[in-house]
Amino acid sequence: MLTYNLNERKGPLYKKLYESIKEDICQGKILSGEKMPSKRTLAKNLGISTITIENAYDQLMGEGYIYAVPKKGYYVSDISGLQKVKVPVVASCHIQMPQKDENVRFDFSSNHTESANFPFSVWAKLMRETISLREKELLKVSPCGGVPELRQAIATHLGAFRGMQVDPDQIIVGAGTEYLYGMLVKLLGKDKIYCIENPGYKKIRQIYESNGAQCIFSNMDASGILVEELEKCDIAHISPTHHFPTGITMPVTRRYELLAWANEKEGRYIIEDDYDSEFRLNGKPIPSLQSIDACGKVIYMNTFSKSLTSTIRISYMVLPEALANEYYRKLAFYACTVSTFEQYTLASFISKGYFEKHINRMRLHYGRKREQVLEVLRKNLSSKQCKILENDSGLHFILELHTRLTDREVKERLWNKKIKISTVSDFCMDEKETDSHQFILNYSNMDVEKLEGAIEELKSLL
Amino acid sequence: MLTYNLNERKGPLYKKLYESIKEDICQGKILSGEKMPSKRTLAKNLGISTITIENAYDQLMGEGYIYAVPKKGYYVSDISGLQKVKVPVVASCHIQMPQKDENVRFDFSSNHTESANFPFSVWAKLMRETISLREKELLKVSPCGGVPELRQAIATHLGAFRGMQVDPDQIIVGAGTEYLYGMLVKLLGKDKIYCIENPGYKKIRQIYESNGAQCIFSNMDASGILVEELEKCDIAHISPTHHFPTGITMPVTRRYELLAWANEKEGRYIIEDDYDSEFRLNGKPIPSLQSIDACGKVIYMNTFSKSLTSTIRISYMVLPEALANEYYRKLAFYACTVSTFEQYTLASFISKGYFEKHINRMRLHYGRKREQVLEVLRKNLSSKQCKILENDSGLHFILELHTRLTDREVKERLWNKKIKISTVSDFCMDEKETDSHQFILNYSNMDVEKLEGAIEELKSLL
């Protein structure tokens, strides 16, 4: 008969008993197939209640150490499998986290937006309002494309701000553009060939490739991507409003050439990545490619991570009618990745006019900041030393340095002084080293007061 | 010289002028290559300021209708490309949204959790607290795996509740398990063969396949997935704590067999989907497979969408050390998909003990509800008519009906009475129709007061 000194262990009585018996089974003190004492007998023997025994037996059964035979009793399971696995001593966990450069003195390469500009108090107010007024809706599952209120607000905004006629059902909301790119690969097919701009964001390539799609690259002239280089591809991923890093805005003729390319063959699509259209600083926004596409060939994408704050992971895409229908047929089983709390908050942020106000404020702010930066540059660098390439839009411009140093040498020498800068050639998709002499000045997160010092260091290299 | 009646149009003066000129260019009234009047001349002619002309010209330039030649002036672009694209009349948008059954009288098949059980006021309080206390952190970009506070809270919870020793850096937080499955395919490779349980959730198969991975299915016996059927596969996706729909808890011997299988070959892994471990209603939770894995072969996954509310899209996975390192090397460029607002709110929800309290409350609640449902069943159905299969855990059980009707007939006849039910055979991966006579009773979202009426209808079929 099993006898245990249960006082040696911690926790509720049933747990102490369960652990004791389990140990005996694992150590082979009770053998496979052996009959366990009945609950009543064991209770009597140990001087505890049958309910405690029952709880311990239930747990042992649940985990598979014993089994019950109706009207007969409990038996020990065959646990010979347990011995088959060698259990090595667990070493402590060594995880190498992605490194961050902590010691940067000045960073020309960061394209984050200043978090101080986020209208935090308004957002907090609307979030509180959402929590108190929408309890019922908040706990309803969001449709796969997002809650109707948010999609309606986005559609209205796109109408007013970008001249786009969009049915809210065409809009799919998701947790970041990276996520939506992945959904697009699922929708359009990973057997398709995706063409991205060269130079361009390498992350876009990484995302397509990590989703199993093949990427090719198209070179650019002053009007943007070269249409003749698209012959072999199915999907062109472009940012016609303001290309990074070149700053090119695609003129209307090239836009129509692109649409003509897409119309030539079934299955061809253009992904219009409109990530910073809100930051055209003068004049009215350039009409989107989507707004002049009458054949359902343009997938429009935008994000609030850029225009609001990168910690808000809400992006959306506008699918042409046929693709929207295909999305709902093929991918509606994917739940929306954005929580209803933030969807409703953003919906009222847009529909109450705060988003427009915020964008206008940001355009003024960045316009002023841009002027300040340009002034510092013009004051400290002569036109013999450099040329500034900029076109009134976006949150960066390009400084073309007249230097005999290679791009790599400039970057390394600056890095020795803890100044981080990237070049247009860093964004070239072919890995071969070319010298663009074009340096990218992201000013959205720049500390203008320290700029002069950084420019001094740059000058000393020339 | 261009002359326009600008009063016919709406909006700012520069915009009216820009639109007029653009129209003339598109209609061929001003030809490609033609020189535009100088800003000063046009201003004089129209009787408006040169600044207005400049703004209009800037917009036309931005969009590519005209271009500037330094020291010469402005010229009309070649827009012959515009005519190449036929512009069909846009038909109104017809989008077929996924249909919902609105007229269901009683639904045995819904596995949503009752939203009324979500501790809304506590959550709202913590969200408000987060907003007022964490303004600075909220606007910092989350590390790719989630904010440290949340990962620490999850690690502590897993230690206390599931006996798991987890380094917070092993935890990757994401917007829903569906999203994390996709990341796992990227991490482990879509060339791997993924094995899922048969029967099981078809959605898991859909997700793997839509991510480009190949799925095979393994049959199950009373102990769960059959290890001998795993020979050809690399990754086994299982839910050993409580399998849906069979309700099987995998006994410890089978668990060790599975671990032995994973250890036999490099590249083999087990994905432990622990989606409803919180709802083991009696006794202490079954130890997770991860907690007995000493060789880094188990990827543990869980979600808060099930235990809190499905509108909160926060899930996580615990990667073995080597895979965690690979994740940070290969996939750290993916930003975390959950907003910082909700990550911090959840972190304090867990670390302040609300999560544990909530789970305990839910276990009591569902335990009582389960008893009520079982009572209604026992009262209205005899053991000749049916057998109830249940094992004290999870939010469903199985009703085995003694009937000559096929599964499809039962379902159709109930559906005619607006009662929705699903069967175990609905979850079989091979599409052939078999009759399990096993009907799934999800009670988490069930209206117990109407249950008797639904059972009456069911009885009338027997």
Side-chain angles (χ1 to χ4, degrees), chain A residues 59 63 78-79 94 96 124 131 138 140 178 203 210 252-253 284 287 311 321 325 333-335 339 342, chain B residues 59 63 78-79 94 96 124 131 138 140 178 203 210 252-253 284 287 311 321 325 333-335 339 342:
Chain A
Q59 189 68 30
E63 298 185 18
D78 176 11
I79 57 148
H94 290 295
Q96 186 71 36
I131 291 171
L138 284 173
K140 264 195 204 156
E178 299 167 5
K203 201 178 195 178
S210 79
V252 66
T253 35
K284 69 189 210 59
T311 60
E321 182 183 339
N325 281 316
F333 65 86
Y334 273 97
S339 87
E342 299 212 321
Chain B
Q59 188 68 29
E63 297 183 18
D78 176 10
I79 56 147
H94 289 295
Q96 186 71 35
I131 291 172
L138 283 173
K140 266 196 202 154
E178 298 167 5
K203 202 178 193 174
S210 80
V252 66
T253 34
K284 70 187 208 58
T311 61
E321 183 183 337
N325 280 316
F333 66 86
Y334 273 99
S339 88
E342 299 210 320

Side-chain angles (χ1 to χ4, degrees), chain B residues 125-330:
Chain B
K125 188 189 83 177
L126 294 177
M127 204 159 217
R128 283 190 208 103
E129 253 177 48
T130 303
I131 291 172
S132 42
L133 298 177
R134 287 199 182 263
E135 172 163 352
K136 219 174 153 185
E137 295 99 311
L138 283 173
L139 296 176
K140 266 196 202 154
V141 178
S142 161
C144 64
V147 303
E149 283 81 351
L150 177 58
R151 290 149 98 190
Q152 182 58 62
I154 292 173
T156 309
H157 165 75
L158 288 175
F161 192 75
R162 303 294 272 127
M164 290 163 62
Q165 285 208 325
V166 168
D167 184 319
D169 289 343
Q170 288 178 268
I171 296 173
I172 307 286
V173 171
T177 35
E178 298 167 5
Y179 172 74
L180 292 175
Y181 296 159
M183 293 310 276
L184 277 180
V185 174
K186 294 179 182 80
L187 181 64
L188 303 170
K190 66 178 182 353
D191 51 326
K192 294 280 170 27
I193 295 172
Y194 293 74
C195 183
I196 54 181
E197 294 157 319
N198 184 20
Y201 273 117
K202 286 186 180 164
K203 202 178 193 174
I204 296 174
R205 173 186 183 178
Q206 285 179 302
I207 290 168
Y208 281 121
E209 291 183 343
S210 80
N211 277 289
Q214 194 196 332
C215 278
I216 61 170
F217 319 112
S218 165
N219 293 309
M220 306 179 67
D221 65 8
S223 296
I225 203 165
L226 293 167
V227 178
E228 58 267 32
E229 297 200 6
L230 296 179
E231 224 22 71
K232 272 185 285 182
C233 90
D234 306 293
I235 317 289
H237 184 125
I238 57 171
S239 35
T241 302
H242 186 239
H243 174 256
F244 187 87
T246 65
I248 291 169
T249 299
M250 185 181 282
V252 66
T253 34
R254 181 64 54 86
R255 288 171 188 243
Y256 277 100
E257 278 173 48
L258 254 177
L259 289 175
W261 164 83
N263 268 322
E264 261 166 36
K265 261 193 199 165
E266 215 177 321
R268 279 186 180 171
Y269 288 99
I270 299 164
I271 298 171
E272 179 179 24
D273 200 340
D274 206 33
Y275 70 102
D276 76 349
S277 64
E278 289 85 2
F279 298 113
R280 185 167 157 80
L281 305 175
N282 290 311
K284 70 187 208 58
I286 303 289
S288 70
L289 193 57
Q290 197 272 359
S291 66
I292 58 167
D293 164 38
C295 304
K297 286 296 189 178
V298 176
I299 297 158
Y300 176 90
M301 299 194 87
N302 208 336
T303 179
F304 294 97
S305 305
K306 196 91 185 170
S307 48
L308 282 171
T309 161
S310 46
T311 61
I312 287 181
R313 306 298 306 169
I314 311 184
S315 300
Y316 62 93
M317 54 185 178
V318 180
L319 296 173
E321 183 183 337
L323 281 184
N325 280 316
E326 205 181 326
Y327 188 94
Y328 293 121
R329 264 198 314 276
K330 268 175 61 176

Side-chain angles (χ1 to χ4, degrees), chain A residues 159-265:
Chain A
F161 193 74
R162 303 293 273 127
M164 290 163 63
Q165 286 209 321
V166 168
D167 184 319
D169 289 344
Q170 289 178 266
I171 297 174
I172 307 287
V173 171
T177 35
E178 299 167 5
Y179 171 74
L180 291 175
Y181 295 159
M183 292 310 275
L184 277 181
V185 175
K186 295 180 182 79
L187 181 64
L188 302 170
K190 66 177 181 351
D191 52 326
K192 293 282 169 24
I193 295 172
Y194 292 74
C195 183
I196 56 181
E197 294 155 318
N198 185 21
Y201 274 118
K202 286 187 178 162
K203 201 178 195 178
I204 295 174
R205 174 186 182 176
Q206 285 178 303
I207 290 168
Y208 281 121
E209 289 182 347
S210 79
N211 277 290
Q214 193 197 331
C215 277
I216 61 170
F217 319 112
S218 165
N219 293 309
M220 305 178 69
D221 64 9
S223 296
I225 202 165
L226 294 167
V227 177
E228 58 267 31
E229 296 199 7
L230 296 178
E231 226 19 75
K232 271 186 285 183
C233 89
D234 307 292
I235 317 289
H237 184 126
I238 57 171
S239 35
T241 302
H242 186 238
H243 174 257
F244 188 89
T246 65
I248 291 169
T249 299
M250 186 181 283
V252 66
T253 35
R254 182 65 54 85
R255 288 171 186 242
Y256 277 100
E257 279 173 48
L258 255 176
L259 290 175
W261 164 84
N263 268 322
E264 260 165 37
K265 261 192 199 167

Side-chain angles (χ1 to χ4, degrees), chain A residues 171-451:
Chain A
I171 297 174
I172 307 287
V173 171
T177 35
E178 299 167 5
Y179 171 74
L180 291 175
Y181 295 159
M183 292 310 275
L184 277 181
V185 175
K186 295 180 182 79
L187 181 64
L188 302 170
K190 66 177 181 351
D191 52 326
K192 293 282 169 24
I193 295 172
Y194 292 74
C195 183
I196 56 181
E197 294 155 318
N198 185 21
Y201 274 118
K202 286 187 178 162
K203 201 178 195 178
I204 295 174
R205 174 186 182 176
Q206 285 178 303
I207 290 168
Y208 281 121
E209 289 182 347
S210 79
N211 277 290
Q214 193 197 331
C215 277
I216 61 170
F217 319 112
S218 165
N219 293 309
M220 305 178 69
D221 64 9
S223 296
I225 202 165
L226 294 167
V227 177
E228 58 267 31
E229 296 199 7
L230 296 178
E231 226 19 75
K232 271 186 285 183
C233 89
D234 307 292
I235 317 289
H237 184 126
I238 57 171
S239 35
T241 302
H242 186 238
H243 174 257
F244 188 89
T246 65
I248 291 169
T249 299
M250 186 181 283
V252 66
T253 35
R254 182 65 54 85
R255 288 171 186 242
Y256 277 100
E257 279 173 48
L258 255 176
L259 290 175
W261 164 84
N263 268 322
E264 260 165 37
K265 261 192 199 167
E266 215 177 319
R268 280 187 179 168
Y269 288 100
I270 299 163
I271 298 172
E272 178 179 23
D273 200 339
D274 207 32
Y275 70 102
D276 76 349
S277 63
E278 289 84 3
F279 297 114
R280 184 168 158 79
L281 305 175
N282 290 311
K284 69 189 210 59
I286 304 288
S288 70
L289 193 58
Q290 197 270 359
S291 67
I292 58 168
D293 164 37
C295 305
K297 285 296 187 175
V298 175
I299 297 158
Y300 176 91
M301 298 195 88
N302 208 336
T303 178
F304 294 97
S305 305
K306 196 90 186 172
S307 48
L308 282 172
T309 163
S310 46
T311 60
I312 287 181
R313 306 297 308 168
I314 311 183
S315 300
Y316 62 92
M317 55 185 177
V318 180
L319 297 173
E321 182 183 339
L323 280 183
N325 281 316
E326 205 180 324
Y327 188 95
Y328 294 121
R329 265 197 315 274
K330 267 174 63 175
L331 296 169
F333 65 86
Y334 273 97
C336 183
T337 41
V338 184
S339 87
T340 50
F341 288 79
E342 299 212 321
Q343 288 196 59
Y344 282 111
T345 304
L346 180 57
S348 50
F349 189 79
I350 300 171
S351 59
K352 289 183 175 169
Y354 292 114
F355 184 57
E356 204 193 321
K357 226 181 268 178
H358 172 68
I359 292 291
N360 290 337
R361 208 162 55 84
M362 285 303 94
R363 289 172 73 193
L364 272 175
H365 169 80
Y366 286 122
R368 270 197 297 264
K369 194 164 180 183
R370 186 182 193 95
E371 271 317 307
Q372 288 172 354
V373 172
L374 286 172
E375 212 179 288
V376 174
L377 293 179
R378 287 190 198 113
K379 207 176 91 188
N380 290 279
L381 292 164
S382 72
S383 62
K384 272 187 190 165
Q385 291 170 313
C386 74
K387 192 174 154 191
I388 297 164
L389 310 172
E390 62 110 18
N391 71 347
D392 257 359
S393 74
L395 303 178
H396 80 283
F397 42 77
I398 288 168
L399 191 67
E400 200 173 83
L401 286 185
H402 304 153
T403 174
R404 281 186 198 164
L405 296 174
T406 64
D407 286 7
R408 180 199 281 261
E409 283 166 340
V410 174
K411 277 192 293 182
E412 277 176 1
R413 291 184 192 188
L414 284 176
W415 183 235
N416 289 338
K417 291 169 177 172
K418 299 288 171 213
I419 296 172
K420 218 173 147 184
I421 199 164
S422 56
T423 67
V424 169
S425 50
D426 290 336
F427 292 85
C428 287
M429 299 293 164
D430 22 32
E431 299 297 327
K432 65 170 187 248
E433 220 166 305
T434 47
D435 285 307
S436 60
H437 301 298
Q438 294 187 329
F439 294 82
I440 298 165
L441 271 52
N442 287 305
Y443 64 89
S444 60
N445 201 22
M446 189 183 272
D447 183 349
V448 183
E449 297 202 344
K450 291 187 187 161
L451 176 61

